[in-house]
Amino acid sequence: RRSPDMHLTNHISTGDDDVVIKILYCGICHSDLHSIKNDWKNAKYPMVPGHEITGEVNEVGKNVTKFKTGDRVGVGCMVNSCQSCESCNKGFENLCLGIIPTYNLVDLDGTITYGGYSSMVVVHERFVVRFPDTIPLEKGAPLLCAGITVYSPMKYHGLNIPGMHLGVLGLGGLGHVAVKFGKAFGMKVTVISSSPGKKQEALERLGADAFIVGKNDEEMKAAMSTMDGIINTVSANIPMAPLLGLLKPNGKMIMVGLPEKPMEIPPFALVATNKTLAGSLIGGMRDTQEMLDLAAKHNVTADIEVIGAEYVNTAMERLAKADVRYRFVIDIGNTLDKAAATTTE
Ligand SMILES: *[C@@H]1O[C@H](CO)[C@@H](O)[C@H](O)[C@H]1NC(C)=O
Ligand SMILES: *[C@@H]1O[C@H](CO)[C@@H](O)[C@H](O)[C@H]1NC(C)=O
Ligand SMILES: *[C@@H]1O[C@H](CO)[C@@H](O)[C@H](O)[C@H]1NC(C)=O
Ligand SMILES: [Zn+2]
Ligand SMILES: [Zn+2]
């Protein structure tokens, strides 16, 4: 919730339920770029972005039972919620109307939340997850946003059944993790992408079964009515009718991307064969822990490029051009203090 300067932590009392985390890694999510550029017109500067946080517990409040000093932990997209509504009581804090995102929001105590591009963060234990020993903290960091974002809809829309055919639309930070979870669940996975150049690694490195170039009419036609579901990770306005045509009768398309303009949906493309178009936003804390434990069991991690803190501005420029395979992760533990020292000198 708060990102105190390392040297000030001795003077800030840790709340009874709070966990003080020394941040070691933080992924760079595309929404960090939108936020710092104020694309969503809600920026509160100074802003500390970052919601794919991994690190070690430094200190715990006196009522904390889930964690102790030295534990490997993670923090994702939210750090608080009302903790008392129907959604919260069912474990879907992500659906709480009082959700407090990890950065750029006013928390219940009136302070603005600061995210993971920082040496420390203090978070209520409910919003901290245990990081499995077998997942490296850097390769696992993106699971805290990208991982849960694709895992939750796969679970709740029944798109996690062995033998089913899953389409993954868009092969970026979210899409490449969706491919890995799909394969871990024993599904047939087809990537639909606008970049023919990604075919080889989709098939060979990520283990997808097939690859369709969205603009290739022949390839699209050949795959008509073959998919049980599609996880749509694309945040651009692209024609929906041909994509819905890839679904079998009763098929489901789940939106996790956020196109800026309203989408055009020809009703017939849904109505004729009872298709579902749905949306999904991250996931609850219980599901986030479950996702991490499953990722550990199936060796699912993100493909990342680890960078130093001094490289963040360049990384943002590259991210804007989609020039990353598939997530930047900042090595906070080894580079942030050094980069800060250089800028203040
Ligand atoms: C912590 O535990 C004490 C004793 O059980 C209790 O009085 C106090 O209200 C708790 N604090 C919070 C923030 O729940
Ligand atoms: C139509 O789709 C819904 C949602 O997937 C499903 O529950 C229902 O059984 C489908 N109806 C028929 C007649 O198959
Ligand atoms: C887990 O996956 C990584 C690549 O993502 C690979 O290098 C490693 O060998 C795998 N480990 C196991 C036990 O399969
Ligand atoms: Zn994110
Ligand atoms: Zn709530």
Side-chain angles (χ1 to χ4, degrees):
R1 259 184 296 154
R2 300 173 290 273
S3 283
D5 183 289
M6 192 88 90
H7 309 290
L8 294 178
T9 50
N10 291 340
H11 306 288
I12 294 175
S13 60
T14 304
D16 288 350
D17 297 318
D18 284 345
V19 180
V20 181
I21 299 165
K22 177 177 162 51
I23 299 175
L24 295 175
Y25 295 97
C26 186
I28 299 185
C29 174
H30 214 277
S31 55
D32 298 348
L33 183 57
H34 286 298
S35 299
I36 60 175
K37 285 166 53 187
N38 199 16
D39 286 343
W40 294 325
K41 306 289 174 241
N42 65 350
K44 291 171 192 58
Y45 302 114
M47 185 190 300
V48 180
H51 59 204
E52 297 179 343
I53 301 168
T54 59
E56 270 173 18
V57 174
N58 210 35
E59 189 189 329
V60 294
K62 65 176 171 16
N63 289 15
V64 168
T65 55
K66 277 164 61 188
F67 304 100
K68 60 179 192 315
T69 303
D71 283 354
R72 301 162 91 242
V73 291
V75 176
C77 302
M78 56 187 165
V79 289
N80 214 342
S81 69
C82 86
Q83 303 194 39
S84 61
C85 70
E86 191 179 342
S87 295
C88 286
N89 288 340
K90 287 182 178 161
F92 300 114
E93 298 90 345
N94 55 315
L95 306 181
C96 175
L97 299 179
I99 183 175
I100 306 287
T102 303
Y103 64 89
N104 195 42
L105 240 284
V106 180
D107 202 348
L108 304 176
D109 63 3
T111 59
I112 290 175
T113 56
Y114 296 122
Y117 299 13
S118 168
S119 47
M120 292 225 155
V121 67
V122 182
V123 182
H124 188 290
E125 70 168 331
R126 179 172 182 155
F127 298 89
V128 179
V129 285
R130 182 170 301 286
F131 224 76
D133 288 337
T134 54
I135 304 186
L137 289 177
E138 67 278 24
K139 292 173 99 178
L143 296 176
L144 294 159
C145 170
I148 186 62
T149 297
V150 298
Y151 173 75
S152 173
M154 288 170 79
K155 172 178 175 178
Y156 288 103
H157 289 280
L159 300 174
N160 58 357
I161 314 283
M164 267 191 179
H165 186 185
L166 179 73
V168 175
L169 181 59
L171 192 62
L174 300 180
H176 91 288
V177 177
V179 172
K180 292 186 185 193
F181 271 119
K183 291 313 295 176
F185 295 141
M187 306 174 84
K188 176 183 177 185
V189 179
T190 297
V191 173
I192 309 131
S193 166
S194 57
S195 321
K198 288 182 178 171
K199 178 171 183 171
Q200 194 178 354
E201 68 184 59
L203 300 181
E204 290 173 11
R205 200 150 59 86
L206 301 174
D209 298 284
F211 187 95
I212 296 173
V213 178
K215 285 177 194 139
N216 185 319
D217 293 340
E218 262 168 49
E219 287 180 10
M220 289 287 283
K221 217 177 221 168
M224 282 268 284
S225 307
T226 62
M227 298 179 189
D228 295 284
I230 295 176
I231 302 290
N232 180 352
T233 73
V234 170
S235 290
N237 289 84
I238 52 177
M240 293 295 284
L243 295 165
L244 292 166
L246 295 172
L247 294 169
K248 290 177 186 170
N250 294 345
K252 301 168 179 179
M253 174 178 290
I254 319 298
M255 306 272 312
V256 293
L258 289 167
E260 273 169 42
K261 298 195 193 90
M263 304 186 317
E264 218 170 86
I265 313 286
F268 195 79
L270 289 172
V271 171
T273 46
N274 190 43
K275 285 168 187 168
T276 298
L277 178 64
S280 183
L281 178 76
I282 51 173
M285 295 315 301
R286 191 177 56 218
D287 286 325
T288 305
Q289 187 67 61
E290 177 182 290
M291 176 277 304
L292 278 180
D293 295 342
L294 265 176
K297 186 173 160 209
H298 294 288
N299 194 27
V300 171
T301 57
D303 289 16
I304 59 167
E305 186 175 328
V306 177
I307 61 167
E310 73 291 341
Y311 189 77
V312 166
N313 288 343
T314 311
M316 288 293 178
E317 285 163 20
R318 286 182 50 197
L319 183 59
K321 294 182 284 188
D323 173 22
V324 56
R325 302 272 167 99
Y326 287 91
R327 267 286 202 259
F328 290 113
V329 174
I330 312 169
D331 181 353
I332 300 278
N334 290 311
T335 67
L336 182 63
D337 286 344
K338 282 177 213 149
T342 324
T343 34
T344 49
E345 264 162 19

